[in-house]
Amino acid sequence: MRGRGRAVFFRRIPALAGLSILALVIILSLLSPLLSTAPPEEIDLDRSLQPPSREHPFGTDPFGRDVLSRVMAGGRVSLGVGFMARTISLLIGLLLGTLAGYVGGRVDSVIMRLADITFAFPTLLLLIAIMAVVSPGVVSLFVALGVVGWAALARLVRAQVMAVRERDYVRAARASGAGHLKLITRYILPQCLSPLVVVYTLGLGMTIMAEASISFLGLGVRPPAPSWGAMISGGIAFMRTAPWLTLFPGLVLTVTVCSLNLVGDGLRDALDPRMVVGKRDLSL
Amino acid sequence: MIKFVLRRIILLVPILLGVVTVTFILMYVIPGDPVLALVGERYDEETLEAKRRELGLDQPLFKQYLGYLGRVSRMDLGRSFITGRPVTESIAERFPRTLTLALSAMLLAVSGGILAGALAAWGRFPWLGRSMMTLSLVGVSIPVFWLGLLLIFLFSIKLSLLPPSGYGGGSWRYLILPAITLSFASLATIARVTRSGFLDTGGEDFVRTARAKGLGESKVLGKHILRNALIPVVTIVGTDFGSYLSGSVLTESIFGWPGLGRFIVQAILKRDFPVIQGSILFMAVLFVIVNLLVDLSYGIIDPRVRRMGGAS
Amino acid sequence: MGGESLAPPPGRRSGVGGAVIDFWRSFFLLTGCLLPACTGSGDPPLLRLALQTEPATLDPVAAVDFSSGTLSSLIHSNLVRFDAAGRIVPDLAREWSISEDGRRYRFSLFPARFANGRRVTARDVVFSFRRLLDPATVSPRWWVLEPVKSAASFHAGSPFSDDSMLALDDSTLVITLEGPTAHFLSLLSMPAAGVVCAEEVRERGADYGRRPCGSGPWKLSFWHAGEEIRLEKNSHCREINASVEGISFRILPESMTRIAEFEVGNLDILEVPGAEINHWRTAAPGLLQAEELRVVYIGLNNRKPPLDDPRVRRALNLAVDVETIIARILFGAGRRSRGPVPPALLPWPTGTDLYPYDPEEARRLLSEAGFPHGFSMEIWQRENPEAGRILESVQGYLARVGIEVKIVTREWGAFKQAVDRGTPDAFYLDWFADYPDAENFLQPLFHSSNRGGGGNRSGYANSRVDSLLEEAAAQVNAGTRTRLYQRAEELIYRDAPWIFLWFPIRYEVVSERITGYRIPLIFNGRRFLEVSFSGRSDH
């Protein structure tokens, strides 16, 4: 009993810690234009490659730009792309999942085959293949991430809809003449909310990581736009001479993903403790 | 059981067809003329035309698609635009290296993960358990490519213990860092699952009974707790297979490991269509088949799955 | 595969490290059996080099990239070739004579042999050249022999005319040109004009690119894709290296790997990457350096307003502080260019620095041209991290004179297509010499007939320059030719069709094992025949 109580306690602290770190990262990213000592894109070659100091806590890059300012500006890109991509996945997943679960029959099997095909690719591979053919840029990136992530959410929604569809109160509402749209929005979808929130949050960390990976491979956000993944790959050539170029952006990225996972775990414990979220459900 | 297996195999057909179609379409809508990358500096229109004809790129879309389907069904993935080598030959050459890396990583993940999880569950040193669990949280959150760079920075640049990257003709010294990198996320998950498995099983009735019967602690651990706690580990190894394939793309790129993952990235940077198409198709088919095998093995372990299996 | 030689020198393995390593050794025993077998010790003295990219092919007619060209030139010999200083020297041809009118070349050949032992005859040369030109070969390099009489019509589908290349006997060859071509011998030295063994080409067909057979000093021993290409001494070759038994080219795209392998003694020559130059300047006293025959530039679209105005183009040149970019981003590995031709090929007329860093003057010129508040433009680049670093600094400088630059990155095919069609306002590119001749930096890059894919991607057209270049190409007198090219270059420099950047400087470090190596002027001038092992080999 004592062990169990302690476990709950430990679970709560990390979730809170995650939430506060996440809030900090978001606030710093949003306020980066105000907080930065110098604009993140301003070049001053005379200051290039300075090690971390009081003036530049994360050092400077080859162009003399302040790495801290760039990391904060990069946070806007990474978090922005992550939220947009997740939202696109959510919308597609909601639409197709509800359709499949509610209509059933042939519609259901077509949608589920599409999901199977999406699942048949290792996600990162599918992403890099897509990014190789579309014109590069932030918009292509979050659309690609969003499209790739739809299938898991659709499956989740479908399962929930099918479970709820035949419940008594839904039948009662249907019998009383409620239209399909009303049935879905009023009675069915609210039931799916809490697992969706959990999967959305947990998937967010994975999406941000995927964005960084794609940009790291040079297929996502391009310099000079700041992005954590691109900053890390740009620093590799300087690993020996200026390691701060790779270490700091990676550290911030890890901390961000970590805090998102903590928040996600916390939400799961709070909203739906019996839910099991496997890696494939996040699809990334 | 046989019916279940057959059904799953038949379900595979539309999926594989879909996979082939997706890879074809992706590579067809690619921007830029692939032929331009082949001719080098100083070229003229006629050379371009001749190259296009040679590669069949002047055919209409549908004809190209049918041709592609036909070739794929004959296990012919075409030839690289750039080197002219058959793609299947290159895959056969590189995949064993990816497999070596993935299997080493898997071995490391399972052994390291169980060890860490067991230590964390032991309870003799609470701080050990807590730090293990923190580490495992970091483990699932740390980007593969950054972890790889950290290891290079530490073990190669600072300590000069291991080579930073390369294949070294297959020397094991070159395998260590990439294997650790690739295994880390999986290791962390396995550690977490093992720990909770140990803690949960430790409280189960049959374990208490065994203890009450006066069995030695090591026997209880080995015979009862271990076996039950390890079943979820098997599940994770199966579902993580995709991560090993995806992860190999990044890991191989960082460590210069000449496997299939890096082959794909390089082909993408050079827009070598047949190579991208063929390798991604190969990876996807492999992934589908492994997933099928994993699902089928659950069907054997737990008969309830058989009824659920076809529903999704 | 030199498994033994890959182990670090004994001194480097610390006690703890050794224990850790031994632990891992036993740990990976199981997976170890999946690895390809190593050949073990007792290797012959090998020169161990690194390639950044894997060659696409070793077939001379198909080689377009740097690695392919380099290796194909080691395996095949040409009629004539470049030495390390970039001079034309005999290769297969013992001697040659050129007729008065500059159209007939008569070569007498050495009694050389292919790697399979067969004697090389003049008919092999004709076979190889005809193969290069044959439309069925679809060689992107057929233009190397374009000056040969009726070569262009043969390439376009007409029957081959035997009298343009005539093998008089086994060791005499006469080639007739359309018109006098001063740089014809340079063309014959290009990798594409390598002589192949006819029966091996017929037998191996499409596979020839992976199993070549030439008469060069080295022959292919094995090619392990993605790993290593091993060349061994061609004992049938007239010139062989006395002390080096073979050359191992390991394919190591990551600069980190190359550096580490060099540091533990597994590589003999290391090209030092930009970010590390300062480190090696102090760490390696014997650092070799050489200016490359390569020009890096930002091409401006001369046909698209506002860049069609020479004042705007001059202003752009004045606005970018090239010296500082070289110092800070390239760490000194470049020489600022004044004009497109490397000074090693064409001496600069003294006193011409039209574009020192002068943002004030740049702003004045822009106002004069009607853009007091600047304008916005796109600069395109191909996927390449170094290009990104350079363009970001150019972007910063141009912002200071009010020009807003958007950097657009495309992969090579898409980039080339857009640039050759004249879509982008500007593009970052480099051009490296096919042969060490000023012609190679002027005719393709600035003659109006080569606009687009021919090489003149900025769409520059100046009829004075055109006629100077035409006159120089047909000029047999070297002094006159140089003066004509200098005049053309000066006109081009004034018109500023590019933002002139720099000629890169290449830095290489050489291990203590070897002596006699020098950086050649041109990539295929390197044959590793002078290299030998000093007594300090750790074998």
Side-chain angles (χ1 to χ4, degrees), chain A residues 39-214:
Chain A
E41 62 279 354
E42 192 175 282
I43 284 170
D44 180 355
L45 294 183
D46 289 329
R47 278 192 320 214
S48 73
L49 293 175
Q50 289 177 4
S53 64
R54 185 169 296 226
E55 197 189 345
H56 303 287
F58 286 7
T60 62
D61 71 2
F63 312 102
R65 298 180 300 204
D66 180 41
V67 175
L68 177 61
S69 310
R70 290 192 51 85
V71 168
M72 290 198 290
R76 294 214 283 183
V77 177
S78 291
L79 291 170
V81 167
F83 278 111
M84 288 302 289
R86 252 353 239 169
T87 308
I88 290 175
S89 299
L90 181 69
L91 290 179
I92 302 177
L94 262 182
L95 183 72
L96 294 184
T98 316
L99 215 59
Y102 192 81
V103 179
R106 188 158 297 172
V107 175
D108 181 30
S109 52
V110 167
I111 291 175
M112 284 304 108
R113 285 303 80 74
L114 282 178
D116 287 344
I117 292 170
T118 315
F119 269 126
F121 290 93
T123 314
L124 190 69
L125 276 182
L126 183 58
L127 268 173
I128 60 178
I130 295 177
M131 290 312 294
V133 299
V134 298
S135 65
V138 174
V139 178
S140 321
L141 188 57
F142 67 68
V143 171
L145 281 163
V147 168
V148 167
W150 73 277
L153 282 153
R155 276 192 180 172
L156 181 77
V157 172
R158 170 180 173 274
Q160 294 282 331
V161 169
M162 284 171 88
V164 174
R165 194 174 58 179
E166 301 305 324
R167 290 217 182 125
D168 290 342
Y169 65 95
V170 178
R171 286 188 185 187
R174 192 182 298 147
S176 68
H180 292 306
L181 200 63
K182 191 175 172 191
L183 264 178
I184 291 170
T185 53
R186 182 81 57 83
Y187 297 98
I188 297 180
L189 286 186
Q191 294 300 314
C192 312
L193 204 60
S194 42
L196 277 180
V197 168
V198 174
V199 171
Y200 182 95
T201 319
L202 283 173
L204 197 54
M206 291 293 185
T207 309
I208 288 175
M209 198 124 96
E211 182 275 320
S213 308
I214 299 284

Side-chain angles (χ1 to χ4, degrees), chain C residues 17-36:
Chain C
V20 171
I21 285 165
D22 287 341
F23 168 74
W24 287 115
R25 188 198 283 275
S26 47
F27 192 87
F28 285 109
L29 212 62
L30 184 77
T31 52
C33 54
L34 290 166
L35 302 171

